[in-house]
């Protein structure tokens, strides 16, 4: 009898030990699942105040697509709401009606006046903005339109843009009457306004004069002569000097590489169907073109956000806060229309004082 009892006890111990082992394994598996879910990152569109926003989520693909749809809808609605409150529409000029094609023949129209690429067959209306992937956009339109240009021009940005601007049909935002423009799928892309300014500065002011002679003759030499003492070197304009120029010049004299978005594409007069952002370019570009039946690989747009936001913050660190506030007041409508923030550029805060 004692032997039997000892055998039963051993069986109970083995059973309890086995159950404990199973429970321990299940707990370990559950912990690993939770760790994996916490470290599985799916990028969503950035929040209006955070250019590097990521959201950790386990949503199914269909739920993720709904999140993107909601984000895109909110961008368009934001513009409508702000334009309804702003008097900027009354300031626009009806004479901004122009095209680089008239009666089937080429005519000259500056890109500042005719910034919209149109494709009537694909009912596509795209307002391009310098320093917002404009080179890639023009290459893409040339590609889908089967328009070829001299390959030697592709290595020269200025020559390429001149050729592409002539080859693509362009119009002013208000060229079409309402009944016509409503047939088109209307797109514009933006980026953080200060990121664009740094990109423009790096492209048009940092290179030596022989690479961008027009900008030195038209802008940088006159500014350096005005701001620097006699005999000082006139080699390269600094970023604070560039900002000073922006805050002490009338907007009508701005080059198109730093003119405000709203003054170029007229989002308060043209009801755009899609507002894309370079911060989410790899998703936004394919999505927008898919809407008109054009397939576009994310790889085509993978390198379009060349100026990282952290680099922009570094450049602005050398600019006095008062100048940053003046600069913001010039681009304030762009910040509001497209949901960007200036908070991190104001060490003392108090944005309400602007």
């Amino acid at each position: 009898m004692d032997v039997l009892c000892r055998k039963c006890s051993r069986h109970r111990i083995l059973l309890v030990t086995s159950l404990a082992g199973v429970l321990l394994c299940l707990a370990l598996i559950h912990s690993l699942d939770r760790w994996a879910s916490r470290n599985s990152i799916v990028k969503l569109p950035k929040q209006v105040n955070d250019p590097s926003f990521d959201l950790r989520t386990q949503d199914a693909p269909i739920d993720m697509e709904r999140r993107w749809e909601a984000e895109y809808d909110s961008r368009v609605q934001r513009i409508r709401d702000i334009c309804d409150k702003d008097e900027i529409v009354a300031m626009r000029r009806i004479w901004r009606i122009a095209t680089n094609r008239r009666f089937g023949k080429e005519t000259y129209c500056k890109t500042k006046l005719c910034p919209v690429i149109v494709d009537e067959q694909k009912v596509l209306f795209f307002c391009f903005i310098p320093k917002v992937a404009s080179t890639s956009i023009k290459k893409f339109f040339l590609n889908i339109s089967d328009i070829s240009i001299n390959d030697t021009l592709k290595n020269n940005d200025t020559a390429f843009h001149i050729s592409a601007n002539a080859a693509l049909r362009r119009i002013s935002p208000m060229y079409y009457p309402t009944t016509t423009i409503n047939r088109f799928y209307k797109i514009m892309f933006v980026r953080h306004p200060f990121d664009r300014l740094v990109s423009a500065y790096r492209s048009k002011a940092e290179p030596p004069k022989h690479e961008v002679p027009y900008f030195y003759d038209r802008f940088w030499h006159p500014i350096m002569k005005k701001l620097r003492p006699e005999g000082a070197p006139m080699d390269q304009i600094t970023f604070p000097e560039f900002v000073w120029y922006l805050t002490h010049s009338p907007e009508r004299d701005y080059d198109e590489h730093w003119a405000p978005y709203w003054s170029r594409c007229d989002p308060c007069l043209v009801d755009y169907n899609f507002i894309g952002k370079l911060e989410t370019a790899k998703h936004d570009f394919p999505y927008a073109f898919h809407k008109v039946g054009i397939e576009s690989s994310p790889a085509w747009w993978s390198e379009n956000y060349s100026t990282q936001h952290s680099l922009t913050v570094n450049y602005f660190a050398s600019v006095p806060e008062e100048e940053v506030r003046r600069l913001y007041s010039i681009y304030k409508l762009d910040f509001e229309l497209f949901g960007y923030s200036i908070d991190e550029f104001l060490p003392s805060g108090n944005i309400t004082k602007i």
Side-chain angles (χ1 to χ4, degrees):
M1 191 67 174
D2 290 339
V3 174
L4 183 60
C5 289
R6 283 195 296 272
K7 286 183 178 180
C8 289
S9 297
R10 283 198 297 271
H11 284 306
R12 289 194 191 96
I13 293 170
L14 288 173
L15 181 61
V16 170
T17 303
S18 298
L19 287 173
V22 170
L23 291 173
L24 183 62
C25 288
L26 289 174
L28 180 61
I29 291 171
H30 180 67
S31 297
L32 288 172
D33 285 343
R34 290 182 63 187
W35 178 86
S37 66
R38 284 199 304 269
N39 288 275
S40 177
I41 300 175
V42 180
K43 288 189 175 182
L44 279 185
K46 73 172 200 65
Q47 295 299 291
V48 295
N49 292 332
D50 186 358
S52 59
F53 177 73
D54 286 340
L55 183 65
R56 301 166 189 270
T57 180
Q58 287 183 299
D59 288 347
I62 190 169
D63 293 328
M64 181 59 67
E65 200 60 28
R66 286 172 183 162
R67 287 176 178 267
W68 281 105
E69 291 274 2
E71 167 67 14
Y72 296 145
D73 289 345
S74 71
R75 292 179 187 177
V76 172
Q77 190 58 50
R78 179 187 184 91
I79 291 176
R80 291 172 182 166
D81 292 343
I82 291 173
C83 288
D84 285 345
K85 299 174 185 176
D86 206 291
E87 297 178 357
I88 204 68
V89 175
M91 297 167 56
R92 304 309 292 149
R93 300 173 294 278
I94 195 66
W95 57 261
R96 283 172 53 92
I97 297 176
T99 178
N100 69 339
R101 298 284 189 280
R102 197 171 295 280
F103 306 115
K105 297 181 179 180
E106 286 190 19
T107 59
Y108 180 70
C109 185
K110 293 182 178 180
T111 52
K112 191 172 183 177
L113 184 60
C114 294
V116 177
I117 300 173
V118 288
D119 187 320
E120 293 194 346
Q121 287 187 330
K122 299 178 177 65
V123 291
L124 191 55
F125 177 111
F126 195 113
C127 186
F128 70 92
I129 299 171
K131 310 315 300 177
V132 186
S134 60
T135 302
S136 294
I137 289 165
K138 290 174 186 177
K139 288 180 179 178
F140 185 76
F141 270 90
L142 290 170
N143 182 54
I144 65 175
S145 303
D146 293 324
I147 299 174
S148 59
I149 61 173
N150 193 324
D151 285 340
T152 60
L153 301 178
K154 295 179 180 178
N155 297 323
N156 183 318
D157 282 349
T158 301
F160 167 77
H161 281 287
I162 291 173
S163 181
N165 291 338
L168 295 167
R169 189 188 176 200
R170 294 179 293 105
I171 62 173
S172 59
M174 297 301 294
Y175 179 76
Y176 287 126
T178 303
T179 52
T180 302
I181 198 172
N182 285 343
R183 294 192 297 106
F184 286 83
Y185 190 73
K186 300 172 289 297
I187 304 171
M188 69 176 289
F189 267 73
V190 296
R191 68 196 298 186
H192 193 289
F194 283 0
D195 285 347
R196 177 170 172 253
L197 292 181
V198 169
S199 179
Y201 171 78
R202 297 180 71 200
S203 171
K204 306 304 179 187
E206 280 191 344
K209 180 179 178 179
H210 71 270
E211 292 184 19
V212 284
Y214 165 78
F215 288 93
Y216 273 82
D217 293 339
R218 173 69 176 83
F219 300 105
W220 314 145
H221 279 156
I223 293 169
M224 287 188 283
K225 286 180 181 178
K226 188 170 186 177
L227 296 180
R228 298 180 183 182
E230 187 175 351
M234 300 289 171
D235 51 351
Q236 184 187 76
I237 187 172
T238 66
F239 187 69
E241 289 172 334
F242 174 64
V243 172
W244 182 93
Y245 151 72
L246 292 173
T247 58
H248 290 78
S249 302
E251 292 174 49
R252 65 178 178 274
D253 293 339
Y254 279 10
D255 183 84
E256 63 180 332
H257 289 84
W258 47 82
Y261 300 141
W262 69 264
S263 67
R264 181 180 180 87
C265 295
D266 282 328
C268 284
L269 296 177
V270 176
D271 190 17
Y272 285 90
N273 303 97
F274 185 86
I275 304 297
K277 294 185 176 182
L278 281 202
E279 291 86 353
T280 48
K282 288 166 66 172
H283 190 280
D284 291 7
F285 276 111
Y287 179 94
F289 287 119
H290 180 73
K291 284 290 187 178
V292 290
I294 301 172
E295 296 307 316
S296 166
S297 168
W300 185 283
W301 314 101
S302 61
E303 297 181 358
N304 278 304
Y305 196 40
S306 56
T307 300
Q308 297 299 322
H309 193 68
S310 58
L311 182 61
T312 298
V313 175
N314 289 339
Y315 270 84
F316 270 86
S318 62
V319 180
E321 184 171 327
E322 193 57 37
E323 280 292 274
V324 175
R325 291 174 180 275
R326 290 195 188 103
L327 189 66
Y328 173 76
S329 68
I330 295 169
Y331 294 92
K332 183 178 180 181
L333 187 57
D334 281 349
F335 275 86
E336 293 179 346
L337 285 171
F338 304 106
Y340 288 103
S341 172
I342 192 183
D343 290 352
E344 62 197 303
F345 298 93
L346 298 176
S348 66
N350 297 323
I351 189 173
T352 55
K353 291 185 179 180
I354 298 178

